[in-house]
Amino acid sequence: MKYDISGTVMQTLSIALDPGEVIVSQTHAMAWMTDAIDMDTHTGGGLFSGLKRAMGGGSFFITEYSANARGEVAFAPRFPGQIIPMQLASGQSIICRKETFLCAERSVSLEIAFQQRLGAGFFAGEGFILQRVTGPGTVWLDLSGEVIEKTLGPGERLRVHAGHIGMQEPSVSTDIQMVRGFRNMLFGGEGLFLATLTGPGRIWLQSMPVLNLAEEIARHLPSREAVDVGVGAGVGRLVGGGAAGAVVGGILGGLLGNE
């Protein structure tokens, strides 16, 4: 199995498969494939497996791409960013956001990963449930914008606007911390909470959170949709961009968008 990542800000991943090799992806990820590739969509282990993936923010169904002769299948992310290949050893895991998983070898497992603290789940931006990707095998992950990798030492902390967290090693813990200072809260533009990542372990930060992109696009929509999307995204940023932000932002966006 060989792969090639091409492009700059809108990358594509092309994988050459030999007969019998299989790649697994969530739905809506494939861009093109040759005639030698067979596609099979299923729940990946029954109803319960599909529900677990859906709870983690993934798709209920997965799609397998297998080669009956030497062929090629390509995948393209939905947002500008970078595709990160990760070679995972047996039992090695990575924790990522729900929209980060692009595709993987069939030997790689994808399951839900609960946040260690309830507060971090509601306000840290990843949501209460993240995805845990476990080897052995290669997985390709999609992060938005440019990617900055940092390594935190034991007890070392980094405060991050939660939308910029792309993925992290399981040894890194996530918590929230309220922004200090009344003026910072109201006028700083960074929301009420920041995520606190504590080492040891590696983290991958993304320069362009999808929520920021949606908010910026909404500012330029010359229609009523700009009110709904803009208000919802703005409130989501205020409370941190997490599950609570999505709920509150959606409600207020709908109310204020109606006459």
Side-chain angles (χ1 to χ4, degrees):
M1 180 183 300
K2 296 182 180 180
Y3 70 90
D4 177 67
I5 298 175
S6 60
T8 54
V9 295
M10 291 295 291
Q11 295 184 330
T12 58
L13 167 67
S14 176
I15 304 176
L17 298 179
D18 290 325
E21 292 183 328
V22 179
I23 287 293
V24 178
S25 78
Q26 299 193 83
T27 54
H28 308 297
M30 192 272 293
W32 62 81
M33 60 183 180
T34 61
D35 284 340
I37 304 297
D38 295 325
M39 183 174 66
D40 180 27
T41 301
H42 52 79
T43 60
L47 177 63
F48 186 63
S49 296
L51 289 174
K52 286 199 300 182
R53 277 193 310 276
M55 289 177 60
S59 59
F60 181 81
F61 293 97
I62 63 171
T63 303
E64 289 188 354
Y65 300 90
S66 58
N68 55 59
R70 184 168 178 79
E72 176 191 12
V73 59
F75 301 90
R78 293 176 294 173
F79 303 100
Q82 289 184 245
I83 299 174
I84 308 296
M86 298 283 295
Q87 179 64 48
L88 300 176
S90 179
Q92 182 183 3
S93 298
I94 197 77
I95 306 297
C96 61
R97 300 172 68 94
K98 61 185 181 182
E99 68 270 14
T100 300
F101 178 81
L102 184 61
C103 62
E105 293 184 82
R106 187 164 54 179
S107 56
V108 173
S109 64
L110 179 65
E111 57 189 4
I112 58 177
F114 289 93
Q115 280 283 9
Q116 296 175 342
R117 296 173 176 86
L118 182 62
F122 277 105
F123 297 108
E126 295 94 335
F128 183 59
I129 302 175
L130 300 176
Q131 290 185 336
R132 180 186 297 270
V133 183
T134 305
T138 303
V139 58
W140 291 269
L141 302 165
D142 166 36
L143 274 66
S144 299
E146 299 293 334
V147 178
I148 297 90
E149 181 181 343
K150 291 182 176 292
T151 300
L152 300 179
E156 183 179 0
R157 298 194 303 172
L158 183 69
R159 290 188 292 174
V160 184
H161 186 285
H164 290 279
I165 302 174
M167 57 186 183
Q168 63 200 62
E169 292 184 324
S171 57
V172 177
S173 63
T174 304
D175 202 353
I176 61 165
Q177 186 176 42
M178 182 171 287
V179 174
R180 297 176 181 177
F182 182 74
R183 284 178 297 180
N184 291 336
M185 290 182 184
L186 291 184
F187 307 113
E190 303 304 328
L192 298 180
F193 301 93
L194 292 176
T196 301
L197 302 177
T198 304
R202 289 186 297 168
I203 59 175
W204 289 260
L205 305 174
Q206 53 188 9
S207 66
M208 189 189 68
V210 175
L211 186 64
N212 291 10
L213 177 61
E215 184 180 8
E216 187 63 25
I217 292 175
R219 292 178 58 246
H220 300 280
L221 293 178
S223 64
R224 181 170 164 179
E225 283 77 5
V227 177
D228 299 334
V229 177
V231 172
V235 175
R237 284 175 57 84
L238 178 65
V239 297
V247 173
V248 176
I251 292 174
L252 290 184
L255 290 177
L256 296 180
N258 295 328
E259 298 179 351

